[in-house]
Amino acid sequence: MLYCREIIFTCFLIVPLDSHPYAIAFHTSSPELGLALSNFAETNRCQTWDIGRSLATHLHSYLSEFISPQTWQDFAFIAVAKGPGSFTGTRIGVVTARILAQQLSIPLFAISSLAAVAWSQTRHHTDNQPRAIALQMPAQRGHLFTAIYQITPTAVIPLLPDTVLTPQQWEQTLATCSSPYQLIQVPENLGSTVSSLLELAHLEWQQGKRPLSSEALPFYGQHPVDQ
């Protein structure tokens, strides 16, 4: 993982914490790279790039350019999409985030790609009523990545955690769902939901959670060579 290690060779200091800590999120679980940065006050930046298979080659340069004028020592925590999605992209993102968080001695929030999509739906609703979001995304060999999340003003609560089902199993699951739900077909490109990724991590940060980098594990759902 040399391309990951070169990103963090200058990162050694523990980040000082203040009332408006900077944080960064990156979403690499689809062909669309998404980066978001915020101090949850006056500074908020988000950008996406359609880089496809060149993620491993260009992630370092995109990160370096995106964070400027901030430096890595400005960040209090990192958020990363843990999948489901692209096997290779998810692996690169999680490994990179773990190395950065470890070297900076800061928390790392690994957030579900599907949870970020569910949270992004809150922007389309003006009320604060809890609602259930069912999500489906194509997986390999005719299967689906699926999940059902209850959305509240401060959290996404898994009613059905991220899992891989056949279309028939998913139909049966939805038929027996006890809560009214909105069904979302998750798009192929997920980078634009990186701001939702960062918002979810910030909610957990505000709740006092400080997960270690070693706790961040990818969710692949399927192995690319499984039969």
Side-chain angles (χ1 to χ4, degrees):
M1 293 296 177
L2 293 178
Y3 54 82
C4 297
R5 293 194 177 96
E6 68 178 1
I7 297 174
I8 48 78
F9 70 95
T10 59
C11 305
F12 299 103
L13 302 180
I14 296 178
V15 176
L17 302 184
D18 54 38
S19 57
H20 297 297
Y22 281 95
I24 187 169
F26 40 104
H27 203 315
T28 64
S29 293
S30 78
E32 183 180 62
L33 169 65
L35 299 178
L37 179 155
S38 181
N39 68 348
F40 309 98
E42 71 281 355
T43 301
N44 296 280
R45 297 200 301 273
C46 179
Q47 193 169 351
T48 61
W49 299 263
D50 186 8
I51 61 175
R53 296 179 180 273
S54 61
L55 176 67
T57 305
H58 299 298
L59 179 58
H60 169 53
S61 59
Y62 281 122
L63 280 169
S64 298
E65 293 173 7
F66 180 75
I67 68 170
S68 179
Q70 281 72 47
T71 69
W72 286 113
Q73 285 71 36
D74 292 323
F75 295 108
F77 65 88
I78 296 172
V80 66
K82 68 176 183 179
S86 161
F87 181 91
T88 301
T90 299
R91 176 174 57 84
I92 292 171
V94 172
V95 169
T96 302
R98 287 183 60 161
I99 293 173
L100 282 166
Q102 181 181 31
Q103 293 298 316
L104 291 165
S105 298
I106 59 176
L108 172 59
F109 295 88
I111 307 294
S112 160
S113 303
L114 298 182
V117 174
W119 183 254
S120 71
Q121 297 302 306
T122 61
R123 294 178 174 82
H124 305 307
H125 301 282
T126 57
D127 62 78
N128 289 324
Q129 296 300 315
R131 65 186 73 251
I133 305 289
L135 305 109
Q136 63 182 52
M137 183 171 70
Q140 295 187 43
R141 294 174 290 280
H143 287 64
L144 297 170
F145 293 118
T146 64
I148 303 175
Y149 284 96
Q150 185 82 22
I151 307 299
T152 75
T154 58
V156 288
I157 302 168
L159 303 180
L160 173 69
D162 296 4
T163 188
V164 177
L165 298 176
T166 65
Q168 294 76 20
Q169 290 171 327
W170 179 230
E171 282 187 20
Q172 293 171 3
T173 299
L174 293 178
T176 57
C177 182
S178 59
S179 301
Y181 61 85
Q182 176 186 1
L183 179 61
I184 299 294
Q185 177 67 50
V186 178
E188 178 183 4
N189 287 328
L190 300 175
S192 60
T193 63
V194 68
S195 57
S196 295
L197 202 74
L198 188 56
E199 290 170 10
L200 288 174
H202 187 230
L203 288 172
E204 295 190 20
W205 167 270
Q206 290 177 309
Q207 294 166 12
K209 298 180 181 180
R210 301 294 186 267
L212 300 174
S213 59
S214 58
E215 298 173 8
L217 300 175
F219 174 79
Y220 297 128
Q222 296 175 301
H223 194 280
V225 297
D226 284 345
Q227 299 298 320

